[in-house]
Amino acid sequence: MNKNIIYIGTALIVGLLAGYLIFSSSSKDEMAVKELSDMSDTHDHSGETAEQMWTCSMHPQIMQPEPGDCPICGMDLIPAETGAEGLSANEIKMTDNAMALANIRTSVVGKGSMDGNSLKLSGKIRENEEANAVQVTYFAGRIEKLYVNYTGESVGKGKLLATIYSPELVSAQQELLTAASMKESQPALYKAVRNKLKLWKLSDKQINSIEESGQVQENFPVYATVSGTVTEKMVEEGDYVKQGQPLYKIANLNSVWAVFDAYENQIASLKTGQEIKLTTNAYPNKEFTAKVSFVDPLLNSATRTVMVRAVLNNSEDLLKPGMFVEGRIDMSSERSDEVINVPSTAVMWTGERSVVYVKTNPNEPIFEMREVTLGNTNGESFTILSGLESGDEIVTNGTFTVDAAAQLQGKKSMMNAEGGKTMTGHEGHLGMQEDNSGENTNEANHSQMKERIEVSNKFQNQLKQVFDDYILLKDALVNDDAKGAQQAGKQINQSLKKVDMKLLSDEKAHNHWMTIQKELNTSANAISSNTDISKQRGHFKHLSAHMISSVQLFGVNKDVYIQFCPMADNNKGAYWISLEEEVRNPYYGEAMLTCGEVRDTLK
């Protein structure tokens, strides 16, 4: 009996010890698994450390860092879905529908040789200042007759330009006749009088004619001292002129200058003596060849460009001053290693930063902004010095739209390097962002993400009149016409008054237009009441942002081009709308007419 008790006791102790060991081990394993799981969770969700954002179900452009009411409709905000799909803090995912609508295309970048690349420059034909001359009068008097009466007239050396009545010459001729009668007895006096007339550019033949006739000539001719084309007539018949006063400007157009603006990042590739090939719209099938004769040593601080000049033979008189030309300098490889080149459409440039959008997931439309360092601008592409690696997939078409989507979601974007911006009220509606200094930046970008709202044809036609007046304003600024811009600003206000808001039965459309109309009216008023074209251009940037928004939302039954100048507004960049694909810059006008590029097309 005692032996059985001992066996049972021993078995019980062994069982308890085994159980302890088994369950203790199991507990430790569970703890280990839990720790690994926690570590895995931490790793997997590292991108979800960004604070929760709140949005409106009716107005998804609203993004706020805390719950509350929608500033547009007053509805309760709901948690935004940013990061819900495991995206990192600054990744954005596009829907397949958005990809198709925006025609977003990507390309895999690779390394290639610099050989065969070219540097493209835009410029104008100008007169060759070294061959210009000013025709002056060498004696004072009244212009009796002009024989060259308009600019553009060709003159040859020795051609009669004008006749002038000069009291001084009348007196000098009388002195000549008196001295001629005493030339035997006073030859020095006779010689001095003749020399005096020669100082007034009278020829020996003219002086001898006066002396032989014995008659004082009242009206004296002025002959051309050079051959060329009259570029400016500076006097009229009946004008009194002083000795040395200009009558005409005459240019010899047998040679002309082609003058280009080159950006800072192109300067290192330019030097005198380089061959440059030129084309112009006037002769699309003809190519002109010249050599770079001058690279300005000073940088224009306003435009951030340097002037590059080439001299062209124009003996056939094909090139006219004022013509726009495109120049191409073929670049030879200066180093043997290969570089990364990307299409210019892939790069968004603010003047200070250059960015591209990289596809981070090869199987899904997920993108993230990346800053790059640009090298030369080679034809239609950029050389990338840093920021990309061979094999990266980047957006090459629709970059503008991807950037707008990133900004709407508070992610890193072209004008917002830090990300995390919030948008409320009118900012959310119009895609405007405020930086720390309170300046509006990149106002136009977000408007591209709005969906088209169906409106009546009558409303669309009324909006189209506002748009047509906007185009008149844009053209006036392109032509540096401050007075024309004022008038166009007034016309925009008048057209805005004729837009019937009652035609918008949809509440969403009504609210959008109410805000846009107010902003358009404010900007147009500021332009119409200002005579300083630089200030008009500042208000035009704001006006353009709202005009882009209205065209995107409601349409104007036209295909229009959204264009962008990276140097406008002190290198912050600015957008505008154009009916033509060819860039004509309203922010600089004649100073830098072709600066900019097409960023998008609205149907």
Side-chain angles (χ1 to χ4, degrees), residues 85 92-102 104 365-367:
E85 300 181 62
I92 176 173
K93 184 173 184 179
M94 307 286 289
T95 65
D96 291 337
N97 187 44
M99 292 281 289
L101 287 174
I104 296 171
I366 298 175
F367 306 98

Side-chain angles (χ1 to χ4, degrees), residues 11 15 37 61 77 89 104 111 123 214 247 293 307 342 345 379 430 497 527 534 559 568 584:
S37 176
Q61 67 268 30
L77 298 180
I104 296 171
K111 291 186 175 181
L247 303 177
S293 60
M307 187 266 286
V342 301
T345 55
L430 290 165
K497 292 177 183 177
I527 292 170
S534 63
D559 290 354
R584 289 291 178 264

Side-chain angles (χ1 to χ4, degrees), residues 249-511:
K249 286 185 179 179
I250 299 175
N252 187 334
L253 298 180
N254 286 331
S255 67
V256 291
W257 282 352
V259 179
F260 305 93
D261 288 319
Y263 298 123
E264 282 183 88
N265 65 339
Q266 298 173 324
I267 295 175
S269 302
L270 295 166
K271 55 187 176 183
T272 57
Q274 285 176 310
E275 185 177 87
I276 182 168
K277 297 178 180 178
L278 294 89
T279 56
T280 178
N281 289 336
Y283 311 104
N285 298 320
K286 188 174 179 62
E287 189 173 73
F288 301 87
T289 302
K291 290 188 181 296
V292 175
S293 60
F294 179 75
V295 179
D296 198 332
L298 301 178
L299 180 77
N300 186 320
S301 58
T303 62
R304 311 304 301 172
T305 60
V306 296
M307 187 266 286
V308 180
R309 188 171 71 220
V311 180
L312 286 159
N313 186 323
N314 192 37
S315 56
E316 297 180 16
D317 198 29
L318 298 178
L319 299 170
K320 315 294 183 184
M323 275 185 177
F324 289 106
V325 290
E326 294 289 333
R328 188 184 82 248
I329 299 176
D330 292 328
M331 310 294 292
S332 60
S333 178
E334 297 181 0
R335 60 177 187 262
S336 58
D337 59 321
E338 294 183 331
V339 295
I340 292 178
N341 288 323
V342 301
S344 58
T345 55
V347 180
M348 303 186 80
W349 181 43
T350 68
E352 298 176 356
R353 299 167 53 245
S354 302
V355 304
V356 298
Y357 275 88
V358 179
K359 188 177 182 184
T360 57
N361 188 320
N363 302 316
E364 294 187 70
I366 298 175
F367 306 98
E368 184 175 29
M369 187 208 81
R370 187 178 298 175
E371 289 193 32
V372 294
T373 303
L374 299 182
N376 290 330
T377 305
N378 302 318
E380 300 299 324
S381 65
F382 285 109
T383 298
I384 303 297
L385 301 180
S386 65
L388 287 178
E389 298 291 337
S390 181
D392 285 340
E393 188 173 357
I394 63 170
V395 177
T396 53
N397 191 72
T399 316
F400 178 81
T401 304
V402 176
D403 188 76
Q407 292 191 46
L408 282 174
Q409 295 189 22
K411 304 299 181 74
K412 284 186 179 181
S413 56
M414 179 176 68
M415 300 301 290
N416 182 13
E418 301 302 321
K421 287 284 186 182
T422 61
M423 292 179 286
T424 59
H426 293 175
E427 291 178 316
H429 169 69
L430 290 165
M432 296 165 59
Q433 282 185 283
E434 299 285 335
D435 59 19
N436 293 332
S437 64
E439 292 181 342
N440 292 333
T441 59
N442 206 33
E443 295 174 296
N445 262 10
H446 309 316
S447 65
Q448 289 303 101
M449 297 307 295
K450 292 179 173 59
E451 296 179 359
R452 181 64 55 86
I453 298 175
E454 293 297 328
V455 295
S456 67
N457 289 335
K458 188 173 182 180
F459 176 84
Q460 205 171 54
N461 289 334
Q462 292 173 353
L463 176 62
K464 183 179 177 299
Q465 184 56 56
V466 178
F467 174 78
D468 290 342
D469 294 336
Y470 167 88
I471 294 298
L472 292 176
L473 171 60
K474 184 266 296 181
D475 290 341
L477 295 176
V478 166
N479 295 320
D480 299 317
D481 182 4
K483 187 174 181 180
Q486 271 190 307
Q487 182 59 37
K490 292 177 183 177
Q491 289 180 223
I492 289 174
N493 279 330
Q494 292 170 359
S495 297
L496 283 169
K497 292 177 183 177
K498 298 176 182 178
V499 178
D500 187 359
M501 199 178 297
K502 295 178 182 178
L503 296 172
L504 299 173
S505 56
D506 180 79
E507 183 178 358
K508 181 180 178 181
H510 187 277
N511 290 338

Side-chain angles (χ1 to χ4, degrees), residues 47 53 85 106 171-172 209 211 214 216 220 270 308 312 353 412 450 539 551 577:
M53 301 296 290
E85 300 181 62
T106 62
S171 298
S209 176
E211 189 177 336
V216 173
F220 261 83
L270 295 166
V308 180
L312 286 159
R353 299 167 53 245
K412 284 186 179 181
K450 292 179 173 59
H539 293 297
V551 173
I577 311 177

Side-chain angles (χ1 to χ4, degrees), residues 158-309:
K159 179 175 180 176
L160 178 63
L161 300 177
T163 56
I164 297 177
Y165 168 72
S166 173
E168 289 180 333
L169 269 178
V170 171
S171 298
Q173 289 177 81
Q174 290 172 341
E175 291 177 10
L176 173 66
L177 295 177
T178 302
S181 64
M182 300 183 294
K183 65 180 177 180
E184 297 295 336
S185 59
Q186 298 188 37
L189 175 63
Y190 172 69
K191 185 176 181 180
V193 172
R194 285 184 68 95
N195 287 338
K196 180 180 179 181
L197 290 170
K198 288 181 180 180
L199 291 175
W200 283 328
K201 297 298 180 181
L202 268 69
S203 65
D204 285 330
K205 183 178 180 181
Q206 287 176 303
I207 296 171
N208 292 336
S209 176
I210 296 169
E211 189 177 336
E212 291 170 2
S213 67
Q215 299 292 323
V216 173
Q217 188 174 340
E218 292 186 352
N219 297 327
F220 261 83
V222 177
Y223 296 102
T225 57
V226 295
S227 299
T229 302
V230 175
T231 57
E232 185 177 354
K233 185 176 75 141
M234 309 174 77
V235 290
E236 299 292 340
E237 288 184 1
D239 287 351
Y240 282 86
V241 293
K242 297 178 181 179
Q243 184 177 2
Q245 182 172 333
L247 303 177
Y248 302 93
K249 286 185 179 179
I250 299 175
N252 187 334
L253 298 180
N254 286 331
S255 67
V256 291
W257 282 352
V259 179
F260 305 93
D261 288 319
Y263 298 123
E264 282 183 88
N265 65 339
Q266 298 173 324
I267 295 175
S269 302
L270 295 166
K271 55 187 176 183
T272 57
Q274 285 176 310
E275 185 177 87
I276 182 168
K277 297 178 180 178
L278 294 89
T279 56
T280 178
N281 289 336
Y283 311 104
N285 298 320
K286 188 174 179 62
E287 189 173 73
F288 301 87
T289 302
K291 290 188 181 296
V292 175
S293 60
F294 179 75
V295 179
D296 198 332
L298 301 178
L299 180 77
N300 186 320
S301 58
T303 62
R304 311 304 301 172
T305 60
V306 296
M307 187 266 286
V308 180
R309 188 171 71 220

